[in-house]
């Protein structure tokens, strides 16, 4: 940690004369210790950061920069040429150069003296329904408030070893990075290549004697789907926490059988509330026939269930939208007052004084026992591979291709597949090639299918439910043909 601090402060000393208050530093780097030193160096310098994942398509990176308007890009020597091509108007700096600077204690003290707890720390981008990614701005106060609760509730100490799975532009990583800092424990940044080798990944976790896993549901299910736990031991893991989407009970049971002494925790909360607002500690003796509840609120947060008329929903079985109150709420969306105002709103339960809530767009309902369960979305946003995806953004990306008159995507929850239907004369192969150039991997449709005309609802809107039914009927016909061929043979 001393080495990390020294390097970060050297980077900060080089950045301090260059950064402007209220403007971000873009970090175009692979995740790892070098990226962390740039994060902390940026904060020491009095600025804030946004990580841009080099795996993203160039066009998406350019979209994000159009929102950020960052003047400074920090990258690594091996990515410098790529960064120069993507961000031609920004000043380009490398971590290798920055960490050679001498520490300027006076400049860093001045930056610290000028800082307040509502200053931003980072901007993470998520999918946007207008075709432009939304940049969520999170401040110091929100992170400190959440991480203090998180580490205390789950008894994370300096003796723990945290295995980081999430990319650094995904807010699950915030719990790893700042949880480790808060406790002074060990943070193991798991190499990305291991996630295509489940058995080797589990062996690596055992070799590092990992004790804490705070992972996306998709990553845990990848291991169990490919039988990565079979014949393996995870002797030190004492706590597994998961979030991002609904955890399939069968996959959870496999993990629990393999780790009979570990505590498992279901976490819920979108990026806009700073990581999580609800948690449920798994009861090993419970069947969870209704699914896994969202749980109870973290300290210093209130979670409300509100109906369309703005009234509080308390009756079992009645559906309402999940709203969140508390200082952990994000500041809003960078450069987008309209979308910020639409979801960071006055508490609908009263008008007596300003009382800001975040409208998650998630629907929930209470059981007879008073537990809150997830019941889907109000809009066309989905969770896929742990990421939030606005179906409209995928629609717009494909509609940009010549020969496409309309595109509508659907999500098959059972198969965990994103499927695009389109009207027009374009070839599906051309659409796929275009999508690969414009969309991040987690937003790529599994299938892109032509359709003569979109089915419509009685209100004249495209009926996505009917499209889902069509895709399932087509899949059933394919299965039937396959079985017939096998029988004939």
């Amino acid at each position: 940690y001393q080495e990390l601090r020294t390097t970060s402060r050297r980077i900060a000393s080089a950045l301090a004369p260059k950064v402007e208050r209220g403007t971000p530093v873009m970090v175009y780097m692979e995740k790892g210790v070098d990226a962390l030193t740039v994060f902390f160096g940026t904060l020491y310098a009095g600025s804030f950061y946004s990580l841009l994942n080099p795996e993203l398509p160039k066009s998406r990176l350019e979209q994000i920069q159009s929102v950020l308007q960052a003047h400074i890009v920090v990258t690594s020597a091996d990515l410098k040429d790529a960064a120069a091509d993507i961000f031609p108007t920004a000043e380009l700096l490398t971590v290798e150069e920055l960490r050679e600077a001498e520490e300027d204690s006076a400049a860093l003290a001045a930056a610290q003296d000028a800082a307040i707890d509502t200053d931003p720390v980072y901007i993470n981008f998520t999918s946007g329904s207008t075709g432009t990614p939304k940049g969520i701005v999170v401040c110091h106060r929100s992170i400190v408030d959440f991480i203090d609760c998180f580490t205390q509730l789950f008894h994370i100490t300096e003796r723990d070893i945290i295995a980081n799975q999430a990319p650094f532009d995904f807010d699950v990583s915030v719990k790893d990075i700042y949880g480790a800092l808060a406790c002074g424990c060990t943070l193991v940044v798991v190499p990305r290549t291991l996630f295509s080798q489940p058995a080797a990944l589990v062996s690596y976790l055992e070799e590092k004697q990992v004790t804490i896993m705070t992972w996306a549901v998709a990553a845990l299910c990848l291991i169990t789907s490919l039988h990565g736990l079979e014949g393996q031991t995870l002797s030190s893991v004492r706590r597994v926490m998961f979030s991002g989407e609904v955890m399939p009970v069968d996959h959870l049971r496999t993990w629990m059988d393999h780790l009979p002494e570990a505590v498992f925790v279901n976490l819920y909360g979108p990026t806009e509330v700073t990581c999580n607002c609800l948690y449920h500690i798994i009861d090993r003796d419970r069947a969870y026939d209704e699914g896994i509840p969202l749980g109870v609120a973290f300290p210093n947060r209130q979670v409300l269930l509100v109906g369309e008329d703005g009234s509080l929903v308390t009756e079992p079985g009645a559906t309402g939208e999940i709203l969140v109150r508390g200082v952990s709420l994000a500041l809003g969306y960078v450069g987008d007052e309209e979308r910020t105002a639409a979801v960071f709103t006055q508490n609908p339960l009263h008008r007596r004084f300003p009382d800001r809530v975040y409208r998650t767009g998630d629907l929930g309902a209470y059981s007879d026992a008073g537990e809150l369960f997830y019941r889907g979305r109000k809009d066309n946003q989905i969770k896929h591979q742990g990421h939030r995806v606005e179906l409209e953004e995928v629609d717009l990306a494909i509609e940009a291709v010549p020969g496409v008159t309309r595109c509508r995507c659907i999500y098959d929850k059972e198969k965990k597949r994103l499927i695009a239907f389109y009207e027009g004369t374009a070839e599906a192969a051309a659409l796929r090639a275009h999508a690969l150039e414009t969309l991040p991997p987690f937003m790529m449709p599994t299938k892109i299918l032509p359709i003569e005309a979109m089915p419509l609802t009685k209100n004249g809107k495209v009926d996505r439910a009917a499209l889902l039914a069509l895709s399932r009927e087509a899949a059933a016909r394919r299965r039937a043909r396959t079985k017939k061929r096998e029988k004939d043979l």
Side-chain angles (χ1 to χ4, degrees):
Y1 275 104
Q2 179 60 50
E3 184 179 344
L4 178 70
R5 181 178 184 273
T6 298
T7 304
S8 299
R9 288 178 66 84
R10 286 177 177 171
I11 291 171
S13 299
L15 287 175
K18 298 177 177 291
V19 297
E20 298 176 23
R21 194 170 181 81
T23 59
V25 170
M26 192 188 305
V27 183
Y28 180 70
M29 297 176 67
E30 299 283 355
K31 78 169 185 175
V33 175
D34 282 349
L36 293 178
T37 61
V38 177
F39 288 0
F40 304 143
T42 301
L43 298 178
Y44 274 127
S47 187
F48 55 103
Y49 60 86
S50 184
L51 181 93
L52 271 67
N53 191 332
E55 292 186 306
L56 294 177
K58 179 183 177 182
S59 61
R60 184 151 185 101
L61 294 169
E62 291 170 337
Q63 274 187 317
I64 292 173
Q65 167 63 335
S66 73
V67 175
L68 277 180
Q69 297 291 305
H71 304 304
I72 295 173
V73 175
V74 179
T75 188
S76 52
D78 60 318
L79 291 172
K80 188 174 182 179
D81 289 344
D85 178 50
I86 299 168
F87 315 112
T89 61
E91 181 178 1
L92 207 59
L93 306 169
T94 68
V95 63
E96 290 85 357
E97 296 165 343
L98 293 174
R99 64 188 178 208
E100 295 302 316
E102 293 293 325
E103 181 177 322
D104 186 342
S105 299
L108 300 191
Q112 184 173 342
D113 289 343
I116 62 175
D117 66 358
T118 52
D119 286 339
V121 171
Y122 62 81
I123 300 176
N124 276 351
F125 281 83
T126 187
S127 177
S129 59
T130 64
T132 302
K134 295 183 293 190
I136 302 161
V137 189
V138 176
C139 72
H140 289 265
R141 180 173 65 181
S142 296
I143 294 172
V144 171
D145 179 74
F146 173 75
I147 291 296
D148 280 352
C149 295
F150 185 76
T151 53
Q152 290 166 21
L153 271 174
F154 302 123
H155 311 292
I156 302 173
T157 74
E158 71 277 2
R159 294 184 297 276
D160 277 307
I161 299 173
I162 297 174
N164 162 249
Q165 166 265 320
F168 285 176
D169 59 345
F170 193 20
D171 78 333
V172 175
S173 69
V174 171
K175 290 170 275 193
D176 298 334
I177 295 167
Y178 291 98
L181 281 183
C183 301
C185 65
T186 300
L187 176 64
V188 175
V189 181
V190 180
R192 180 166 50 87
T193 54
L194 287 177
F195 288 93
S196 59
Q197 309 167 59
L201 171 58
V202 175
S203 296
Y204 179 86
L205 299 177
E206 174 65 11
E207 176 191 336
K208 298 297 182 183
Q209 289 293 283
V210 164
T211 63
I212 304 287
M213 296 171 64
T214 308
W215 285 25
V217 166
L220 293 174
C221 290
L222 174 69
I223 291 175
T224 45
S225 295
L226 299 177
H227 311 291
L229 293 174
E230 292 181 6
Q232 300 272 27
T233 300
L234 288 172
S235 59
S236 299
V237 174
R238 66 181 188 85
R239 196 172 298 275
V240 179
M241 295 176 275
F242 49 88
S243 61
E245 55 192 307
V246 176
M247 180 65 157
V249 173
D250 288 349
H251 287 268
L252 176 59
R253 290 291 177 199
T254 301
W255 273 98
M256 291 171 66
D257 290 345
H258 196 79
L259 298 173
E261 303 300 322
V263 174
F264 287 78
V265 185
N266 183 34
L267 301 170
Y268 165 82
T271 304
E272 287 88 343
V273 305
T274 309
C275 299
N276 303 120
C277 56
L278 295 169
Y279 70 97
H280 173 77
I281 298 174
I282 300 297
D283 179 354
R284 286 180 173 270
D285 296 325
R286 180 171 169 177
Y288 290 105
D289 294 331
E290 297 177 89
I292 301 170
L294 298 179
V296 298
F298 278 85
N300 204 31
R301 286 154 191 74
Q302 184 181 23
V303 175
L304 306 168
L305 196 62
V306 176
E308 290 186 5
D309 62 354
S311 63
L312 195 65
V313 174
T314 57
E315 181 184 350
T319 301
E321 183 181 5
I322 299 171
L323 276 58
V324 186
R325 297 176 67 232
V327 299
S328 66
L329 298 190
L331 299 177
Y333 302 119
V334 63
D336 197 333
E337 294 181 11
E338 184 177 345
R339 280 198 283 196
T340 299
V343 293
F344 292 92
T345 67
Q346 170 66 25
N347 186 342
L349 300 181
H350 74 91
R351 298 286 171 184
R352 292 186 296 277
F353 53 85
D355 184 6
R356 190 167 175 257
V357 299
Y358 172 65
R359 308 187 73 103
T360 66
D362 287 337
L363 300 175
Y366 290 107
S367 67
D368 291 336
E371 292 183 307
L372 183 60
F373 285 82
Y374 177 73
R375 291 291 182 260
R377 289 286 302 175
K378 285 181 64 178
D379 54 21
N380 289 320
Q381 187 183 103
I382 61 159
K383 277 291 187 76
H384 183 46
Q385 297 179 12
H387 296 269
R388 289 157 55 185
V389 176
E390 299 275 4
L391 294 181
E392 289 92 340
E393 183 172 6
V394 186
D395 296 344
L396 288 168
I398 293 176
E399 285 176 351
V401 179
V404 176
T405 56
R406 181 160 55 173
C407 175
R408 291 295 182 268
C409 291
I410 53 108
Y411 186 63
D412 188 334
K413 292 181 182 178
E414 291 180 9
K415 303 292 185 181
K416 298 189 181 301
R417 293 188 303 185
L418 188 61
I419 302 169
F421 290 86
Y422 72 95
E423 298 172 353
T425 58
E427 293 293 331
L431 301 193
R432 177 163 296 280
H434 175 82
L436 284 167
E437 292 176 358
T438 57
L439 295 171
F442 62 86
M443 291 175 66
M444 271 296 302
T446 305
K447 292 184 177 181
I448 300 177
L449 305 172
I451 191 169
E452 186 173 335
M454 297 285 176
L456 302 178
T457 67
K458 62 181 180 181
N459 296 324
K461 295 182 179 180
V462 173
D463 190 338
R464 293 185 195 257
L467 288 174
L468 177 59
L470 284 174
S471 72
R472 289 178 173 171
E473 288 169 9
R477 287 195 295 270
R478 285 194 300 272
R479 286 194 298 271
R481 286 196 298 268
T482 300
K483 286 182 180 179
K484 185 178 184 304
R485 283 197 299 269
E486 290 173 350
K487 184 179 180 181
D488 291 344
L489 290 171

